Amino acid sequence: MANRPPRKKRRTVVLQGIGVSPGYAIGRAHLVDRRRLRVPKYHITPGRIPAELERFELALRASEEQIRDIKGKLESAGEEHFLILDAHQLMLKDEMLVEGTRQLIQDQAVNAEWALKKILRSIKRIFDNISDEYFRERRSDVDFVGDRILRNLMGSTQPNLSLVDSSSIIVSHDLSPADTAFLLKTPVLGFATDVGGKTSHTAIMARSLELPAVVALERISELVGSGDMLIIDGSHGTVLVNPSEDEIRSYQSLQMGYSTRRAQLDLRRDEPAITRDGFRMGIQGNIELAEEASIVLGYGAEGVGLFRTEYLYMNRETLPTEEEQFEHYRTVLERCGDAGATIRTLDLGGDKFITPLRISREMNPVMGLRAIRFCLREQGIFRTQLRAMLRASIYGHLRIMFPLISDVTEVRQVKKIVGECRQELAAEGQPVADDIPLGIMIELPSAAMIADLLAKEVAFFAIGTNDLIQYTLAIDRANEHVAHLYRPLHPALLRMLDRIVGAAKAAGIPVSMCGEMAGDPFYAPILVGLGLDELSMNAVSIPLVKSVLRALVRSRCVELLAEVMQQTETDDITRIVAERLEHMLDGMIPPEVFRPDPRQA
Ligand code: PEP
Ligand code: MG
């Protein structure tokens, strides 16, 4: 046999997307082909019309059988998923879809695929104009049913999920609710999709199944073939395609450590976070969707500390109505019970974009018409949201929070508007809770510097370190080139935090932190030392932060803070915090505490 040239070593391809569900998965890709079909258009002779109608009929029948088959395999996967599949079956009998397509084949003498495609487009347009979110979301069901019939017409294969096994990582352009329902029955290792965001169906499902998932990878479904080796790092939004043996080994150890620690931490996640010397830190959850309230509570949160409502306004063509928002806020408040929920008014602009609102393109959006500035300009939108919140207030303990406040005038303006909405609702006979604390995010250096003045105006402070750091250190939080300068222990930051907490204490109002710094256990001793009352963070961080807090001694944290306040350089401060933390944790340090990012390990 002729000598083969030495095989080229395959290079690992690292893809960056959005991590929407944390943890690590190592396994073989199972490609679910959900790419758009190229639908041909051709005219047929009048004599061929009956045959074309018959072809369409057969495709409908095949689709019906396939859905029935999936339902049969699912059996006990849960009512919700059955309902989705029932809806798909009904859609196959929908008059507009079926009759509309037949009519078009006859009237225009075109092929069935093309007629169906046109009808699907007009049905989707109708869905777009419905203001109710539930019905609008059904638009994706139209897509999936349409896709199924089209594939049957074109002889293209349906994504085959029956070959999926428990060592598969699902790779797809997107996943349908029917796909995910099926996957509930055959547990997989994780998900990686081209499209999607935090609020996409795959993301929500992955979080509730606690499976790692990365979305918005753009081209993973083109780059990866079934059987390719993958590593999914859902905590950092990365996917390694064809990793080396060394990479696999290093992620295996990260994964093992991660699951062992998660299991241990889970045992005590519902217990409060009380330091060794008896200080109880309040722990709350950050959410972006109403449905996530149950998830954060499940991870041990004592209520919701930040509901980022701007997600209600994203990925859609119309604004959310008062009624629709009311339902979301009510759900969160009811789930949180006595612990209550802090609902933040919309924070759009900056790096958070939105479809229906044409926010003018700004040279520097982070410093532009964002958050409260936008709301004070677009008062109609603001008032609709406030009315929805006030109406929901009778279903639990509501706290309303305003983002990006820079001065006292803004606070007085928003309080006046809230008062007016309250009066309006009273005049309409709509009940509103008597006592609704109104608080503000402290996330601008200006607000930090006048925290004493602001504290006299509001019922609570929540420190938003993501923005406070961005604006104080002039580091664009979305720019990877300056990410290394994003340092929460910078002396300027520590001084600001100290000042904010001091002002809150002097005014007798509670102060929490809800930026990412709050959920990073490395900073826990500093946050205890500063005297924060509550920390609000993403669900999965809760058990770890609680466990680190339980190992701390508050008096020592206060001493540590005093010591680092004397330091002049961030590196020295970081080193001292690491030493003290190690000492206080007494050898029980979970690796995440010191190496939150495995790529920096
Ligand atoms: C923050 O800025 O720290 C914060 C919690 O708000 P967001 O991340 O939504 O801007
Ligand atoms: Mg912010």
Side-chain angles (χ1 to χ4, degrees):
M1 209 165 74
N3 275 346
R4 280 204 199 142
R7 258 176 76 194
K8 257 199 185 164
K9 210 172 160 289
R10 265 189 166 181
R11 285 249 314 275
T12 310
V13 178
V14 181
L15 303 172
Q16 185 67 46
I18 303 173
V20 292
S21 186
Y24 309 93
I26 304 166
R28 301 262 166 211
H30 180 101
L31 189 65
V32 181
D33 186 7
R34 279 275 174 223
R35 268 163 290 178
R36 288 207 176 287
L37 291 169
R38 282 188 178 278
V39 176
K41 179 184 180 183
Y42 51 89
H43 282 280
I44 51 177
T45 56
R48 261 203 58 83
I49 290 176
E52 200 61 14
L53 290 172
E54 175 67 15
R55 210 162 66 82
F56 179 55
E57 197 55 47
L58 288 175
L60 286 175
R61 243 182 277 155
S63 307
E64 162 72 30
E65 271 164 33
Q66 287 155 358
I67 298 178
R68 208 179 323 133
D69 200 37
I70 296 177
K71 276 174 77 176
K73 288 192 180 127
L74 272 173
E75 282 159 8
S76 57
E79 200 183 333
E80 193 188 321
H81 298 98
F82 260 102
L83 290 179
I84 293 171
L85 294 168
D86 283 346
H88 286 191
Q89 276 178 314
L90 279 179
M91 224 171 267
L92 289 172
K93 299 196 175 70
D94 181 83
E95 167 114 13
M96 187 165 174
L97 188 142
V98 178
E99 281 311 314
T101 307
R102 282 198 187 125
Q103 207 64 50
L104 222 58
I105 297 173
Q106 279 170 323
D107 295 351
Q108 299 189 7
V110 283
N111 59 317
E113 293 89 336
W114 188 255
L116 175 64
K117 189 181 159 169
K118 279 189 87 169
I119 292 294
L120 288 171
R121 207 182 296 148
S122 44
I123 297 178
K124 281 192 283 184
R125 228 174 278 136
I126 296 173
F127 273 85
D128 285 344
N129 293 327
I130 300 175
S131 62
D132 184 280
E133 188 183 20
Y134 176 79
F135 283 105
R136 228 186 12 257
E137 274 181 6
R138 304 286 69 78
R139 190 184 189 278
S140 66
D141 293 334
V142 178
D143 274 329
F144 290 114
V145 171
D147 186 77
R148 184 174 292 282
I149 311 171
L150 282 172
R151 281 177 194 269
N152 283 321
L153 275 169
M154 295 166 67
S156 155
T157 48
Q158 298 290 339
N160 189 352
L161 289 171
S162 57
L163 299 176
V164 170
D165 63 41
S166 55
S167 61
S168 307
I169 291 177
I170 300 297
V171 176
S172 177
H173 180 70
D174 196 6
L175 286 169
S176 76
D179 295 336
T180 45
F182 191 89
L183 293 170
L184 277 181
K185 192 76 171 135
T186 316
V188 292
L189 294 177
F191 302 95
T193 60
D194 291 343
V195 297
K198 263 205 127 115
T199 63
S200 59
H201 186 81
T202 316
I204 300 166
M205 194 207 51
R207 279 199 293 275
S208 61
L209 292 176
E210 297 189 27
L211 290 175
V214 180
V215 303
L217 288 154
E218 292 178 4
R219 290 176 54 222
I220 189 161
S221 71
E222 287 167 36
L223 294 169
V224 165
S226 280
D228 279 351
M229 195 65 194
L230 295 185
I231 295 178
I232 301 231
D233 177 349
S235 311
H236 303 96
T238 37
V239 174
L240 280 68
V241 184
N242 295 321
S244 66
E245 288 298 319
D246 281 351
E247 284 163 331
I248 293 178
R249 266 194 299 276
S250 110
Y251 272 90
Q252 271 166 342
S253 76
L254 281 169
Q255 187 186 36
M256 243 158 58
Y258 181 82
S259 14
T260 317
R261 284 189 303 280
R262 285 233 71 84
Q264 280 164 355
L265 292 171
D266 280 355
L267 297 173
R268 296 187 62 196
R269 65 188 186 184
D270 292 327
E271 292 174 28
I274 302 177
T275 62
R276 290 192 201 188
D277 50 349
F279 164 71
R280 177 173 179 161
M281 178 72 90
I283 301 290
Q284 300 174 321
N286 291 353
I287 62 169
E288 277 135 29
L289 295 172
E291 296 85 334
E292 284 178 302
S294 309
I295 300 176
V296 288
L297 296 174
Y299 272 90
E302 300 146 357
V304 164
L306 168 64
F307 178 8
R308 291 181 164 105
T309 59
E310 50 274 15
Y311 284 81
L312 284 171
Y313 296 73
M314 293 179 189
N315 294 328
R316 54 187 294 164
E317 309 280 326
T318 53
L319 289 166
T321 60
E322 179 182 317
E323 206 52 37
E324 182 186 333
Q325 293 189 59
F326 164 75
E327 289 299 338
H328 285 276
Y329 305 150
R330 175 186 166 161
T331 303
V332 172
L333 289 166
E334 282 180 342
R335 301 225 171 122
C336 288
D338 286 345
T342 305
I343 307 187
R344 183 174 76 180
T345 58
L346 79 165
D347 178 359
L348 286 167
D351 61 341
K352 297 167 182 162
F353 302 109
I354 176 168
T355 348
L357 300 176
R358 262 180 287 281
I359 299 176
S360 57
R361 278 197 178 278
E362 295 172 313
M363 273 283 279
N364 202 339
V366 175
M367 298 204 188
L369 195 61
R370 191 193 146 181
I372 204 65
R373 304 164 180 187
F374 172 82
C375 287
L376 290 172
R377 172 79 73 86
E378 299 285 341
Q379 286 202 16
I381 295 171
F382 191 38
R383 283 172 194 264
T384 302
Q385 180 171 44
L386 289 171
R387 282 176 55 96
M389 286 187 193
L390 293 174
R391 283 177 50 207
S393 65
I394 55 167
Y395 295 94
H397 291 282
L398 167 68
R399 299 174 288 267
I400 303 181
M401 179 156 78
F402 303 95
L404 218 76
I405 292 290
S406 69
D407 67 12
V408 171
T409 312
E410 282 166 346
V411 176
R412 292 187 179 154
Q413 279 175 305
V414 297
K415 285 203 294 191
K416 184 163 168 277
I417 296 173
V418 173
E420 287 165 4
C421 291
R422 209 182 237 290
Q423 275 173 2
E424 233 172 68
L425 289 166
E428 291 167 23
Q430 306 245 36
V432 173
D434 289 334
D435 184 25
I436 303 173
L438 302 182
I440 56 173
M441 300 270 308
I442 302 286
E443 51 184 349
L444 292 184
S446 54
M449 296 308 284
I450 58 162
D452 54 331
L453 305 178
L454 291 166
K456 296 191 184 108
E457 299 282 332
V458 296
F460 64 91
F461 280 169
I463 305 174
T465 45
N466 305 342
D467 279 314
L468 188 60
I469 297 173
Q470 156 165 272
Y471 292 117
T472 304
L473 302 182
I475 290 157
D476 179 348
R477 61 194 261 193
N479 182 343
E480 70 279 14
H481 302 299
V482 287
H484 63 290
L485 299 171
Y486 199 88
R487 308 191 74 184
L489 294 182
H490 190 295
L493 249 302
L494 291 179
R495 278 165 174 65
M496 274 193 188
L497 295 177
D498 198 36
R499 189 182 184 104
I500 300 165
V501 177
K505 301 274 167 204
I509 60 167
V511 52
S512 69
M513 178 179 282
C514 57
E516 291 307 301
M517 185 180 185
D520 187 334
F522 182 74
Y523 303 115
I526 291 293
L527 304 184
V528 170
L530 281 164
L532 281 152
D533 300 301
E534 284 162 346
L535 304 177
S536 190
M537 63 199 73
N538 64 65
V540 276
S541 301
I542 294 172
L544 177 60
V545 171
K546 275 187 166 181
S547 93
V548 170
L549 285 166
R550 287 188 199 110
L552 301 181
V553 180
R554 188 189 199 182
S555 55
R556 285 214 247 151
C557 296
V558 172
E559 284 164 23
L560 166 65
L561 184 75
E563 187 180 346
V564 299
M565 281 297 200
Q566 305 301 317
Q567 299 299 315
T568 46
E569 290 191 50
T570 314
D571 281 347
D572 292 331
I573 296 175
T574 309
R575 184 181 40 77
I576 295 170
V577 173
E579 278 166 17
R580 296 294 187 285
L581 185 61
E582 195 162 1
H583 192 242
M584 279 192 265
L585 293 188
D586 211 13
M588 304 181 304
I589 316 148
E592 284 94 336
V593 175
F594 289 114
R595 288 195 298 272
D597 184 344
R599 287 162 300 171
Q600 291 163 9

